[in-house]
Amino acid sequence: MDAHEGGCKEKARACRVLITDDSLITRMFLKDMLESNGHTVVGEAKNAAESLALYKETHPDITTMDMNMPESSGLEAIRSIVDFDADARFIIVSAVDQKLVRDQYAHMGTCEYVSKPAEWGKLKDAIGRIMRNDTTRRKSDA
């Protein structure tokens, strides 16, 4: 059984989510939004080092990632996590230009993008796309 089995694969698509953002207010906002819609937040990180440590500890289904953090960038966090788990899945929640983000991060893990401030409808759609893509990828790997 791999680290991602269960969670989002179930019919209700309830996911285990790790939130990474240097802003406490954004982390609280995302946590409230996710939990009030049936997802479980397994951890909150304010930088790349915390994100990697919590990822290793919790093995979330999805990690939300801010791109602009003072100690280290979201790119550094994604690289570290993908080095640990090539099957990691991310939703980038950022004010950074969407096209720039997609161009830079498309090759790293399974990625979706939601602009700040995040809206539940867009976050829900991103979760759905990431999990549909993951299920398709896992079936083709079998």
Side-chain angles (χ1 to χ4, degrees):
M1 181 161 138
D2 79 23
H4 298 291
E5 251 178 74
C8 291
K9 287 186 172 188
E10 294 161 11
K11 195 169 195 168
R13 295 211 183 267
C15 296
R16 299 172 66 254
V17 182
L18 170 61
I19 297 169
T20 305
D21 198 298
D22 61 307
S23 165
L24 174 61
I25 292 169
T26 299
R27 290 193 312 268
M28 290 170 51
F29 176 73
L30 288 171
K31 181 177 182 176
D32 181 58
M33 189 183 322
L34 289 160
E35 288 182 342
S36 67
N37 284 284
H39 301 285
T40 301
V41 174
V42 297
E44 297 178 44
K46 65 179 178 279
N47 59 44
E50 283 184 11
S51 188
L52 177 60
L54 283 168
Y55 189 94
K56 288 179 175 180
E57 181 183 319
T58 63
H59 300 279
D61 298 311
I62 294 173
T63 300
T64 68
M65 187 65 63
D66 183 23
M67 288 294 99
N68 294 319
M69 297 180 282
E71 294 177 26
S72 53
S73 72
L75 175 59
E76 291 170 30
I78 290 172
R79 281 186 182 142
S80 297
I81 292 169
V82 169
D83 285 347
F84 173 74
D85 179 3
D87 291 328
R89 299 169 289 221
F90 303 93
I91 297 175
I92 296 169
V93 181
S94 184
V96 174
D97 179 82
Q98 182 175 358
K99 182 175 177 356
L100 175 68
V101 168
R102 286 184 192 257
D103 291 348
Q104 285 187 327
Y105 306 106
H107 65 285
M108 302 178 77
T110 302
C111 263
E112 283 291 330
Y113 175 89
V114 174
S115 61
K116 282 184 176 179
E119 297 172 9
W120 171 243
K122 292 179 181 181
L123 191 57
K124 177 181 163 187
D125 290 346
I127 291 169
R129 282 190 304 272
I130 235 174
M131 298 320 300
R132 277 192 305 276
N133 290 342
D134 182 67
T135 302
T136 303
R137 184 181 77 206
R138 289 180 190 275
K139 285 180 183 173
S140 68
D141 288 348

